[in-house]
């Protein structure tokens, strides 16, 4: 076995919180661990030499085979509301916080290894992650990040020969996930429901001191902190809604305290625009359907606020949470305006956007392609001459909307080219459609990782044209439309 990597920027501050917050656990390695993908740009940012990524030192250090001496692997304890029901028995059941690093701007980053074996919080499960879900999380995190949406990142993906049993036998894999914090809403719930307000306070101070250094030192920091979490959560969910992303399992243990998209499971980007889209086939009630996400965000914030009630008065909680609804509406409306190429605000904008979405829904139109195609709309031409029109079955409905849009565009001062540029920066050409991820998974299960590389090329620059990859912007074949995915991972 090769010598572990020497990193001088390790700073494991989470462990200083004390043993109530975690259990020290050594990662359990897999058989024939090999590197599938690594992320040189992110490595560089973290102060890990990018030319080391395929070295055996990097692999053994970051896959948990032989951790460097200054790593301190631990399983974080948390609880959470799962599908609305409180569950105290959660925690890192298969992931470990391997280490925390400081980048050159002194920003702290958590290095988390998912699939590292059993911990005291594994309950009845095996502590492993399958290749399929690890690929999906690897790609999902980078896809959202490069769409400009707050998310955990992916540093490396490892494959192995270790079999794991799910519905069928699958291969175990490891994901190195990177985030500024792995503290969840559920981390606070655990200490609240076990009646330890001093530990709720300790955790809140830890998060504030690390991530909100501008907040005051006195008690007034706590309601301001809650308000920040509400705002960040609103921004994240508004961004999901605008790209047609459904998280799928918005339990409070999967909600990041920083408002990062967190714990990618059976998530999905919509193909046809369908507001009640449910991507998780175990979600029979549609609790986490696409159009429920903004409301669930608030439900989850209420659960967080409740667990902070020893620190914040009811009145201050209400004030902090009252920021959520106007903020998410504002963020979503602003983004929709940009997607429609409307740079100069006008009272009709929300209505124009709502009518466009209603048209897409009625037509079962592809969400991503329809928005992208709209930049070709020429306000100089009558509705009948718009190329886009041919995609609509109900031409009359299109004409009606197009006329309103044409009139609205006349109010703009930017020229056609500036409008197209704006729109193409807000309407991705390429999103991680499930059928594309599925193809990459099927090949990877045969040890062919080339499709992961190809998808990464697109997902890193999703707003560019990439003419050689035009087929990746196509709608899925009918057989692959709206695949609902299992939670089993
Ligand atoms: P998730 O649905 O992935 O957010 O996980 C919910 C809880 O179950 C967390 O406490 C996880 O750590 C735990 N968990 C999920 N899958 C496994 C597994 N294969 N082994 C151990 N714990 C797991
Ligand atoms: Mg989770």
């Amino acid at each position: 076995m090769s010598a572990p990597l020497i990193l001088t920027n390790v700073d494991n501050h989470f462990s200083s919180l004390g043993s109530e917050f975690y259990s020290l656990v050594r990662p359990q390695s897999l058989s024939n661990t090999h590197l599938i993908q690594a992320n040189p740009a992110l490595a560089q940012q973290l102060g890990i030499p990018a030319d080391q990524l395929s070295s055996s030192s990097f692999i053994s250090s970051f896959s948990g085979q032989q951790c460097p001496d200054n790593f301190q692997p631990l399983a974080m304890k948390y609880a959470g509301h799962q599908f609305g029901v409180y569950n105290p028995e959660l925690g890192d059941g298969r992931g470990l916080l391997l280490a925390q690093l400081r980048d050159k701007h002194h920003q702290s980053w958590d290095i988390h290894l998912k699939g590292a074996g059993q911990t005291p919080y594994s309950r009845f499960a095996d502590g492993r992650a399958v290749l399929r879900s690890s690929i999906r999380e690897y790609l999902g995190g980078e896809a959202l990040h490069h769409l400009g949406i707050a998310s955990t990142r992916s540093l490396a993906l490892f494959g192995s020969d270790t079999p794991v049993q799910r519905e069928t036998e699958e291969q175990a894999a490891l994901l190195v996930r990177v985030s500024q914090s792995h503290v969840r809403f559920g981390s606070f719930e655990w200490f609240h429901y076990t009646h330890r307000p001093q530990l709720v306070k300790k955790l809140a101070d830890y998060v504030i001191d690390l991530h909100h250094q501008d907040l005051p030192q006195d008690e007034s920091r706590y309601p301001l902190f809650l308000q920040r979490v509400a705002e960040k959560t609103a921004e994240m969910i508004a961004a999901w809604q605008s790209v047609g992303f459904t998280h799928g399992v918005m339990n409070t243990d999967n909600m990041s305290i920083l408002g990062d998209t967190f714990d990618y499971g059976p998530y999905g980007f919509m193909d046809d625009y369908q507001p009640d889209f449910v991507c998780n086939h175990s979600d029979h009630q549609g609790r986490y359907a696409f159009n429920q996400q903004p409301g669930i965000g608030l439900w989850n914030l209420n659960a967080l606020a409740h667990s902070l009630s020893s620190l914040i008065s009811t009145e201050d909680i209400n004030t902090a949470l009252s920021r959520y609804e106007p903020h998410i509406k504002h963020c979503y409306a602003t983004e929709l305006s940009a997607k429609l190429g409307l740079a100069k605000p006008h009272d009709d904008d929300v209505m124009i956007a709502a009518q466009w979405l209603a048209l897409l829904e009625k037509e079962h139109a592809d969400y991503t392609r329809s928005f992208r195609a709209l930049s070709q709309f020429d306000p100089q031409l009558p509705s009948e001459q718009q190329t886009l029109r041919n995609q609509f079955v109900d031409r009359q409905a299109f004409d009606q909307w197009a006329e309103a849009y044409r009139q609205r565009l006349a109010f703009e001062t930017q020229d056609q080219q500036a409008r197209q540029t704006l729109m193409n920066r807000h309407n991705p050409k390429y999103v991680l459609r499930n059928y594309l991820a599925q193809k990459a998974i099927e090949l990877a299960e045969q040890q062919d990782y080339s499709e992961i590389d190809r998808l990464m090329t697109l997902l890193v620059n999703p707003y560019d044209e990439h003419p050689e990859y035009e087929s990746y912007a196509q709608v899925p074949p009918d057989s692959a439309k709206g695949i609902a995915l299992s939670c089993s991972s």
Side-chain angles (χ1 to χ4, degrees):
M1 203 171 284
S2 55
L5 213 60
I6 297 172
L7 294 171
T8 53
N9 58 341
V10 177
D11 172 8
N12 299 319
H13 41 80
F14 188 82
S15 63
S16 66
L17 282 172
S19 59
E20 295 96 336
F21 290 79
Y22 58 84
S23 298
L24 294 175
V25 180
R26 302 304 296 181
Q28 292 147 36
S29 53
L30 297 171
S31 129
N32 189 25
T33 305
H34 55 276
L35 183 72
I36 295 179
Q37 261 268 337
N39 186 338
L42 180 59
Q44 202 133 34
Q45 197 183 335
L46 297 171
I48 301 168
D51 60 359
Q52 296 275 317
L53 291 177
S54 47
S55 71
S56 48
S57 300
F58 175 80
I59 297 173
S60 65
S61 301
F62 282 80
S63 71
Q65 280 170 356
Q66 200 191 1
C67 285
D69 288 343
N70 55 358
F71 280 21
Q72 193 177 27
L74 57 86
M76 292 165 73
K77 174 60 193 167
Y78 51 84
H81 279 83
Q82 296 181 306
F83 291 88
V85 179
Y86 181 66
N87 183 351
E89 290 183 32
L90 302 175
D92 288 334
R94 55 168 163 178
L96 296 174
L97 180 65
L98 276 188
Q100 291 171 301
L101 306 182
R102 294 271 182 189
D103 69 17
K104 62 173 188 267
H105 307 293
H106 210 63
Q107 173 65 56
S108 173
W109 294 95
D110 289 2
I111 309 294
H112 176 100
L113 183 64
K114 189 161 178 177
Q118 287 174 320
T119 79
Y121 319 121
S122 301
R123 294 174 287 167
F124 42 83
D126 61 7
R128 295 304 186 191
V130 298
L131 179 62
R132 162 177 57 82
S133 66
S134 305
I135 292 174
R136 284 177 50 83
E137 181 155 8
Y138 186 95
L139 294 172
E142 289 303 298
L144 262 68
H145 171 76
H146 291 285
L147 284 167
I149 304 175
S151 174
T152 59
R153 304 283 311 272
S154 312
L155 178 65
L157 177 64
F158 300 105
S160 82
D161 291 345
T162 304
V164 277
Q165 194 60 40
R166 296 293 181 264
E167 278 102 5
T168 58
E169 188 179 284
E170 299 191 44
Q171 302 162 27
L174 292 159
L175 171 74
V176 184
R177 179 167 77 186
V178 173
S179 155
Q180 293 186 4
S181 178
H182 276 71
V183 174
R184 305 148 190 259
F185 288 14
S187 312
F188 288 92
E189 292 180 277
W190 167 243
F191 295 112
H192 175 73
Y193 286 103
T194 50
H195 311 291
R196 291 179 288 176
Q198 71 287 6
L199 297 184
V200 172
K201 182 172 183 297
K202 195 170 184 183
L203 187 59
D205 286 331
Y206 169 79
V207 174
I208 296 169
D209 291 341
L210 202 56
H211 303 286
H212 304 284
Q213 282 150 5
D214 58 318
L215 290 186
Q217 291 297 325
D218 59 19
E219 304 291 297
S220 68
R221 62 188 353 211
Y222 304 115
L224 293 169
F225 163 55
L226 180 61
Q227 182 177 320
R228 292 262 172 98
V229 182
E231 286 166 355
K232 287 286 173 200
T233 304
E235 287 159 24
M236 169 185 76
I237 297 176
W240 291 354
Q241 301 309 112
S242 57
V243 296
F245 175 84
T246 308
H247 180 284
V249 198
M250 290 176 71
N251 294 333
T252 57
D253 53 306
N254 293 337
M255 296 293 291
S256 140
I257 203 66
L258 300 183
D260 286 343
T261 311
F262 195 24
D263 254 9
Y264 289 79
Y267 68 87
F269 281 89
M270 263 191 288
D271 297 308
D272 295 357
Y273 181 58
Q274 186 197 334
D276 60 358
F277 173 63
V278 179
C279 57
N280 173 1
H281 83 183
S282 332
D283 183 5
H284 306 294
Q285 314 290 323
R287 179 181 173 86
Y288 299 136
F290 173 74
N291 60 5
Q292 299 300 307
Q293 297 186 129
I296 287 292
L298 185 57
W299 195 97
N300 289 343
L301 283 162
N302 269 291
L304 172 68
H306 183 67
S307 67
L308 296 172
S309 56
S310 54
L311 294 175
I312 315 177
S313 70
T314 309
E315 198 189 344
D316 285 348
I317 283 178
N318 290 338
T319 308
L321 295 188
S322 71
R323 284 287 304 136
Y324 178 81
E325 198 180 324
H327 194 53
I328 193 169
K329 278 188 176 155
H330 170 77
C331 294
Y332 183 50
T334 305
E335 188 57 26
L336 278 180
S337 291
K339 286 170 83 70
L340 291 170
L342 310 176
K344 206 172 140 196
H346 186 285
D347 287 349
D348 289 349
D349 293 354
V350 170
M351 192 182 69
I352 297 263
Q355 288 172 346
W356 168 247
L357 290 174
L359 192 59
L360 298 189
E361 181 183 358
K362 189 159 150 261
E363 292 274 334
H364 303 284
D366 185 82
Y367 185 76
T368 305
R369 288 179 62 84
S370 300
F371 268 103
R372 184 80 179 185
L374 198 55
S375 70
Q376 300 303 316
F377 189 94
D378 184 348
Q380 308 298 328
L381 298 176
S383 165
E384 305 82 63
Q385 288 176 34
Q386 305 287 344
T387 1
L388 187 61
R389 186 175 193 255
N390 300 330
Q391 295 175 21
F392 289 83
V393 178
D394 185 349
R395 302 271 156 91
Q396 223 181 339
F398 174 78
D399 291 344
Q400 211 175 5
W401 181 80
E403 184 49 33
Y405 185 49
R406 215 167 58 77
Q407 285 178 20
R408 172 61 187 79
L409 289 179
F411 174 72
E412 288 293 315
T413 43
Q414 60 177 350
D415 65 19
Q416 170 93 345
Q417 206 188 343
R419 184 170 60 78
Q420 280 187 350
T421 308
L422 169 74
M423 293 176 82
N424 287 343
R425 274 205 320 268
H426 289 268
N427 296 307
K429 170 134 181 176
Y430 299 95
V431 293
L432 184 57
R433 297 172 187 268
N434 272 337
Y435 86 102
L436 296 175
Q438 192 54 35
K439 191 169 140 201
I441 290 166
E442 282 163 19
L443 286 172
E445 285 173 342
Q446 314 299 319
Q447 280 76 50
D448 175 352
Y449 306 125
S450 58
E451 195 62 20
I452 300 178
D453 297 343
R454 276 190 287 278
L455 283 180
M456 282 302 291
T457 307
L458 298 175
L459 299 176
V460 164
N461 288 301
Y463 298 100
D464 292 356
E465 279 293 325
H466 304 282
E468 70 279 29
Y469 288 117
E470 192 62 37
S471 65
Y472 289 75
Q474 299 301 319
V475 299
D478 278 345
S479 58
K481 261 189 183 170
I483 320 171
L485 291 146
S486 120
C487 244
S488 130
S489 57

